[in-house]
Amino acid sequence: MKILFCVTKSDLKTPFLQQPVEVLYTGTILQQMGHDVAVWDVRVGSMTEPELSQHSPDLVFLVTQTYDLSQCYALTLNGAKDTVQLLRAALPGVPIVTVGMHGSIETAVTSRTLDTDLTLPGELESAIPWLVEHYQNDPHFLARPLAADAVPLQVDPATLPVPNYSLIDVEAYRGEVIDRESQRIRYDKAGLIFANRGCPYTCAYCFVWFGRKIRYRPVALIIEELRQQAAHGVRHFFFLDYTFTLDKQWVRQLCTALKAAELEVSWICQTRCERVDRELLQEMKDAGCAGIFYGVESPWISQTHMVKPTPREVIDRVIRETNEVGIRCFLFILLGLENQDPAIARQLLDWLSEVPATFHYSLLLPRPHTTLWDMHAPADIRITSWEDFAAVSQSIGQQHYWCSDLEEFQASVQSLPNYVVKASAHTV
């Protein structure tokens, strides 16, 4: 069969654009099954109706949200709806299957919002090959209701192949890149590595589609992924793992393998402050780690009801030690934890202006299937579309978290020289 993956534009705005790692894995699996696979990433370029028609796929998979944004997923699907209209016009009669985390956590709502032929739950690498095999054997399979327990929802990362990176244009994707000598930041060509899936923590604001159990990818396969991308000219990478240093022994094994491979690459990861120490940081630095994003959210996060008890002294210590070993320190910050208190907002601005780190911020947004949502969403709420979810989330934010001068507050945050978008123009 000829299969087209269509990665839609997210309604979220970000300064980075990561590779669609789920499509790379799944597309490679389908190629190994003997199928003809193509990828249209709407985020990096448009396809005309004649081009789509010329490809003439037998089946289209519509990806509503890439894995790198699943924790802070978009609450509207306007970009996806636009893409469905284009696909319907260019490919009349070709089945369109919605895949990704939206359809997994809210299958019926996603189906009503997008009106595709089927909404398939589950991680793409497990669910899509299963569906393709059934559809190939039975052309009427998509017309039948899916049994909720029939779809394989998760994949063992150890079983995934090394992706065929020729499926995409690696030149089109960008992320934070750090010059190891000057520590200057720029947005440039970067690859994405997803070495382990899951997170055992239960932060109130966070959504973890991949579950609490950690599933690891073998170190040898990670090294081969890096090697294959390096052959395509990619030298800088971001590890998507939610808590990269959760298992320090695994990190040390990876660092040893990275040094032995002599790939001459640099990488950035993300983790929690309480999961690193100076010795581990030095080993990571020696293995090519150029930057670490710490999920700090706020210097007083332990005093909030966000179920993240990281003490202020630990945050300060880790920022200092990360800088001392020569790794660029990044912080994820959540605006809204000030609980509408202008004095606390002023304290946050003062802290951000002085902290020796670069930060990226997002707005505290209660999302369905998080503790924060369960805490505030009305019990009798009626949801028929993702727009309904967005409206309720907006209302909760305005009532409980966001300050009245939110736009001015965000503008003040964005004006700081160590805001990551600003810092990419000069060294902090």
Side-chain angles (χ1 to χ4, degrees), residues 281-301:
L281 289 170
Q282 187 62 61
E283 291 185 55
M284 293 166 65
K285 163 74 173 178
D286 295 342
C289 180
I292 300 176
F293 273 95
Y294 292 107
V296 166
E297 322 313 343
S298 163
W300 45 81
I301 186 67

Side-chain angles (χ1 to χ4, degrees), residues 288-330:
C289 180
I292 300 176
F293 273 95
Y294 292 107
V296 166
E297 322 313 343
S298 163
W300 45 81
I301 186 67
S302 63
Q303 301 170 34
T304 72
H305 58 276
M306 295 297 145
V307 200
K308 192 167 192 174
T310 309
R312 171 71 177 271
E313 56 268 24
V314 171
I315 294 172
D316 291 338
R317 173 184 59 80
V318 167
I319 291 173
R320 182 182 68 253
E321 291 181 348
T322 304
N323 285 323
E324 288 174 352
V325 302
I327 295 176
R328 186 73 184 240
C329 187
F330 294 89

Side-chain angles (χ1 to χ4, degrees), residues 148-378:
D149 58 350
V151 184
L153 299 179
Q154 287 191 334
V155 71
D156 178 358
T159 66
L160 294 174
V162 174
N164 173 12
Y165 293 101
S166 298
L167 284 168
I168 60 171
D169 176 10
V170 297
E171 301 287 338
Y173 300 92
R174 62 186 183 274
E176 293 91 355
V177 171
I178 305 164
D179 183 274
R180 298 192 70 180
E181 297 300 324
S182 68
Q183 289 288 285
R184 189 178 296 274
I185 305 169
R186 68 182 187 276
Y187 283 97
D188 207 340
K189 180 170 63 177
L192 187 67
I193 302 291
F194 201 6
N196 68 66
R197 303 186 183 196
C199 180
Y201 295 103
T202 56
C203 302
Y205 53 84
C206 191
F207 172 73
V208 182
W209 177 34
F210 300 102
R212 296 184 64 184
K213 182 180 178 181
I214 307 298
R215 292 169 280 154
Y216 285 96
R217 186 150 171 80
V219 167
L221 289 176
I222 297 169
I223 297 299
E224 189 56 33
E225 285 190 32
L226 291 166
R227 194 187 308 278
Q228 290 298 324
Q229 292 204 57
H232 283 78
V234 182
R235 295 292 173 181
H236 307 283
F237 298 89
F238 182 79
F239 278 89
L240 184 56
D241 314 28
Y242 293 161
T243 312
F244 182 80
T245 58
L246 189 65
D247 183 340
K248 293 181 181 179
Q249 185 58 35
W250 177 86
V251 176
R252 291 189 170 99
Q253 291 174 2
L254 177 61
C255 288
T256 298
L258 281 166
K259 287 185 284 188
E262 299 182 341
L263 296 176
E264 297 184 1
V265 299
S266 73
W267 47 278
I268 296 173
C269 65
Q270 55 188 353
T271 191
R272 292 168 66 112
C273 290
E274 61 266 41
R275 303 303 304 198
V276 299
D277 54 51
R278 184 187 293 272
E279 181 183 359
L280 185 67
L281 289 170
Q282 187 62 61
E283 291 185 55
M284 293 166 65
K285 163 74 173 178
D286 295 342
C289 180
I292 300 176
F293 273 95
Y294 292 107
V296 166
E297 322 313 343
S298 163
W300 45 81
I301 186 67
S302 63
Q303 301 170 34
T304 72
H305 58 276
M306 295 297 145
V307 200
K308 192 167 192 174
T310 309
R312 171 71 177 271
E313 56 268 24
V314 171
I315 294 172
D316 291 338
R317 173 184 59 80
V318 167
I319 291 173
R320 182 182 68 253
E321 291 181 348
T322 304
N323 285 323
E324 288 174 352
V325 302
I327 295 176
R328 186 73 184 240
C329 187
F330 294 89
L331 310 178
F332 285 125
I333 298 296
L334 267 180
L335 299 188
L337 298 178
E338 308 77 36
N339 293 316
Q340 302 180 332
D341 187 332
I344 299 179
R346 181 70 254 173
Q347 291 176 37
L348 177 62
L349 276 171
D350 291 343
W351 184 77
L352 287 173
S353 67
E354 297 171 0
V355 69
T358 304
F359 71 90
H360 188 294
Y361 85 88
S362 56
L363 188 62
L364 181 62
L365 195 65
R367 289 179 168 85
H369 301 275
T370 65
T371 301
L372 201 60
W373 176 273
D374 296 339
M375 188 184 304
H376 295 294

Side-chain angles (χ1 to χ4, degrees), residues 376-388:
H376 295 294
D380 59 348
I381 184 174
R382 183 174 181 270
I383 298 292
T384 61
S385 70
W386 276 99
E387 286 78 8
D388 292 339

Side-chain angles (χ1 to χ4, degrees), residues 39-57:
V39 177
W40 173 33
D41 193 335
V42 182
R43 303 172 303 165
V44 302
S46 60
M47 254 180 132
T48 64
E49 288 189 22
E51 288 174 326
L52 284 169
S53 300
Q54 185 176 9
H55 180 67
S56 63

